[in-house]
């Protein structure tokens, strides 16, 4: 290995920067509990981690960042926590949209957003419109998202196209299916990170993570800083992605 450059990544690792990073931001509640604070203090602290990873993505040349902010199962939490998460989302969108705009970040919210309060939906539309023509980092926030919801909706969309005579069943292949999901036109995640120590996918990306490199860390989301993210990127750079081939074939294609 050559020495790390100022960016913190070893020189030869820079070709191995993932194009698309997806993160399950978990552990806010435990972070707060460790400090004898209410769970919402953890969610607030988590917003700071979001800012940091967006910054590092920009510096390292990651093109797409997908963050799991609220799952389709999170409605089952106490009403007060759900309301607080909605408020936090509102505030963060209001406060950060201009900053994203200045930093050439394009924001997209994926998930069943029609279930959100109308004011929040409006703010999402505004932030998406404000940043729509940016061509830097694509930031996708998965909110009221579920992997199974995405797959079921894709199946329904295709079935509707068949019923309307616009599509033949035999035209449905993996490519066309992928285009019917919320990730149409976006490459699959290369690196899939979960903070907070749980070793599960919790209904995040199911179709799209078929060949993602998985990275689990016990670090709680509010503690996931620049150094922890760089470490995940380094770990990714050391992986050999074979996609079913042999190591020798990968070396030859090198
Ligand atoms: C993740 O942190 C944030 C959301 C799910 C919105 P948690 O709130 O799940 O934190 P833990 O897992 O209880 O520590
Ligand atoms: C997954 O975290 C959802 C988000 C991070 C938004 P959870 O904390 O809700 O996951 P489970 O239910 O413990 O698996
Ligand atoms: Mg959790």
């Amino acid at each position: 290995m050559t020495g790390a450059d100022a960016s913190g990544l070893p020189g030869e690792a820079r070709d191995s920067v993932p194009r698309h990073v997806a993160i399950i931001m978990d552990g806010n509640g435990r972070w707060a509990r460790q400090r004898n604070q209410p769970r919402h203090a953890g969610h607030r602290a988590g917003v700071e981690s979001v800012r940091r990873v967006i910054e590092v993505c920009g510096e390292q040349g990651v093109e797409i960042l997908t963050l799991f902010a609220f799952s389709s199962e999170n409605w089952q939490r106490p009403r007060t926590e759900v309301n607080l998460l909605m408020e936090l989302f509102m505030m963060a969108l209001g406060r950060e949209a201009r900053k994203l705009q200045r930093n050439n970040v394009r924001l997209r919210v994926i998930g069943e957003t029609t279930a959100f309060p109308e004011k929040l939906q409006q703010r999402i539309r505004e932030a998406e419109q404000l940043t729509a023509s940016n061509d830097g980092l694509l930031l996708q926030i998965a909110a009221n998202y579920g992997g199974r919801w995405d797959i079921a909706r894709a199946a329904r969309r295709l079935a509707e196209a068949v019923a309307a005579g616009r599509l033949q069943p035999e035209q449905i292949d993996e490519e066309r299916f992928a285009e019917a999901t919320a990730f149409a036109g976006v490459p699959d995640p290369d690196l899939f990170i979960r903070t907070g120590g749980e070793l599960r996918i919790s209904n995040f990306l199911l179709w799209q993570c078929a060949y993602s490199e998985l990275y689990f860390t016990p670090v709680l989301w509010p503690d996931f800083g620049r150094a922890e993210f760089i470490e995940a990127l380094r770990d990714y750079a050391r992986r050999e992605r074979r996609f079913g081939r042999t190591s020798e074939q990968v070396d030859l294609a090198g």
Side-chain angles (χ1 to χ4, degrees):
M1 281 225 174
T2 53
D5 65 14
S7 68
L9 276 177
E12 70 263 36
R14 258 174 290 147
D15 287 339
S16 315
V17 173
R19 274 186 82 184
H20 183 175
V21 177
I23 308 181
I24 300 184
M25 311 184 286
D26 195 23
N28 296 348
R30 279 163 287 165
W31 184 92
R33 200 173 55 214
Q34 282 176 357
R35 286 162 179 74
N36 285 321
Q37 289 176 12
R39 291 179 60 84
H40 64 80
H43 296 315
R44 278 185 224 285
V47 178
E48 196 49 48
S49 295
V50 172
R51 283 197 201 100
R52 281 194 301 259
V53 294
I54 292 173
E55 254 174 50
V56 176
C57 283
E59 288 162 18
Q60 301 293 335
V62 172
E63 294 170 38
I64 304 145
L65 175 65
T66 302
L67 300 175
F68 204 10
F70 190 85
S71 77
S72 39
E73 288 71 36
N74 286 147
W75 293 109
Q76 296 175 57
R77 293 192 177 196
R79 192 67 226 167
T80 47
E81 180 166 348
V82 171
N83 288 343
L84 200 120
L85 283 166
M86 298 293 151
E87 266 171 46
L88 201 60
F89 199 21
M90 277 289 279
M91 268 167 36
L93 276 173
R95 221 175 31 211
E96 304 294 325
R98 265 163 225 296
K99 193 167 164 211
L100 295 176
Q101 166 65 3
R102 276 199 305 278
N103 290 313
N104 197 23
V105 175
R106 177 157 65 100
L107 177 78
R108 254 188 100 199
V109 176
I110 54 173
E112 204 168 8
T113 51
T114 51
F116 290 146
E118 182 49 46
K119 266 200 327 216
L120 178 53
Q121 293 184 49
Q122 178 63 25
R123 199 162 277 190
I124 289 171
R125 279 192 295 271
E126 284 165 9
E128 285 181 334
Q129 278 160 15
L130 180 70
T131 62
S133 53
N134 292 341
D135 57 5
L137 177 72
L138 170 61
L139 172 64
Q140 304 194 107
I141 304 288
N144 195 18
Y145 180 87
R148 288 183 169 177
W149 164 79
D150 200 3
I151 291 172
R153 187 181 63 156
R156 191 170 60 242
R157 284 176 163 177
L158 294 171
E160 281 164 2
V162 169
R166 286 182 274 117
L167 185 70
Q168 296 301 313
E170 53 277 15
Q171 290 175 299
I172 299 175
D173 55 13
E174 292 180 15
E175 212 174 307
R176 206 174 276 261
F177 195 93
E179 286 304 303
T181 71
F183 286 71
V186 175
D188 288 342
D190 300 294
L191 174 60
F192 181 117
I193 298 174
R194 181 174 191 143
T195 65
E198 310 297 355
L199 304 181
R200 54 179 178 253
I201 293 182
S202 301
N203 196 22
F204 191 26
L205 314 171
L206 298 179
W207 174 271
Q208 298 83 0
C209 77
Y211 254 115
S212 303
E213 296 295 330
L214 306 179
Y215 182 88
F216 294 97
T217 169
V219 175
L220 304 174
W221 178 247
D223 289 329
F224 192 77
R226 168 174 290 269
E228 286 75 18
F229 190 30
I230 295 278
E231 180 47 38
L233 294 174
R234 276 173 188 250
D235 193 275
Y236 172 84
R238 289 192 290 265
R239 310 264 180 110
E240 181 182 63
R241 306 189 72 190
R242 290 193 288 277
F243 297 101
R245 289 171 298 171
T246 66
S247 231
E248 291 73 16
Q249 287 175 302
V250 173
D251 284 347
L252 275 175

